[in-house]
Amino acid sequence: MAAVEDQLKLIVEAVQSDAEIGKFLASPNIESGKKLALLKQALGSHVSELVLDMLALLIARRRQGLLGEVYEAYTRVAADELGQARATIYTAQELSEVELKAVEAQFGALLAKVVRAEQVVQPNLLGGIQVRIGDRLYDGSLSGKLARLEKTLKTKAL
């Protein structure tokens, strides 16, 4: 599973980083067979037959623009199957490696999964953290607490 994820990531990054590749794949004037032949030639030894077949299907159906979404969906399904979860941790200041591992461990215990996190620094949070795992947001930021306090005060004032 990890090999397929790495291969998909390689292809997505190549397409996103080079506008010419994206134009080539999106061009309706080029036959899908030619597109696939060139991609097989360029990626052949780096990508498994499974990934090439998926790429061929997307190109044949003119859905190559969905490659990024396919990669995201695959990583979610694979991580769930392996008992893992991806998290994005938003903080006002960068966390140390030890602090980041502690947050991963705490949310891993909460979800009974292994949490792999990436960190995003957002100075407007003022303090605390926000953790997004899937479609859930755990908001422990100071700005979030102030917003909840303001909402409570407005509700009671009415």
Side-chain angles (χ1 to χ4, degrees):
M1 282 188 180
V4 171
E5 183 177 340
D6 291 341
Q7 293 167 13
L8 285 172
K9 184 177 182 180
L10 173 78
I11 295 169
V12 168
E13 287 175 349
V15 170
Q16 290 176 347
S17 67
D18 191 343
E20 292 298 316
I21 295 173
K23 286 180 187 177
F24 170 75
L25 291 175
S27 175
N29 298 332
I30 301 172
E31 293 178 17
S32 60
K34 287 183 181 179
K35 291 177 187 178
L36 190 58
L38 186 64
L39 286 172
K40 280 185 178 181
Q41 181 182 3
L43 300 170
S45 63
H46 302 292
V47 178
S48 69
E49 197 64 34
L50 176 70
V51 174
L52 282 174
D53 288 346
M54 182 272 314
L55 196 54
L57 182 63
L58 287 175
I59 290 171
R61 301 255 168 102
R62 297 180 189 256
R63 300 285 191 248
Q64 59 275 354
L66 298 176
L67 190 57
E69 287 85 351
V70 169
Y71 169 70
E72 291 297 323
Y74 180 83
T75 56
R76 278 193 310 270
V77 170
D80 193 44
E81 188 66 29
L82 295 172
Q84 299 174 345
R86 287 180 175 249
T88 305
I89 299 174
Y90 302 95
T91 59
Q93 296 178 358
E94 191 164 344
L95 297 176
S96 70
E97 192 65 31
V98 173
E99 292 169 327
L100 188 62
K101 293 295 180 195
V103 173
E104 286 177 341
Q106 188 172 10
F107 279 91
L110 177 70
L111 300 172
K113 293 184 176 189
V114 175
V115 174
R116 296 187 308 178
E118 71 173 275
Q119 183 178 355
V120 177
V121 176
Q122 288 186 334
N124 62 337
L125 289 178
L126 304 176
I129 65 170
Q130 290 180 337
V131 179
R132 178 168 298 282
I133 301 174
D135 60 352
R136 296 199 58 136
L137 177 66
Y138 300 91
D139 190 354
S141 67
L142 185 55
S143 60
K145 289 177 183 178
L146 289 172
R148 288 188 295 277
L149 178 62
E150 178 184 28
K151 184 177 177 183
T152 302
L153 291 173
K154 283 183 179 179
T155 304
K156 291 187 179 189
L158 297 176

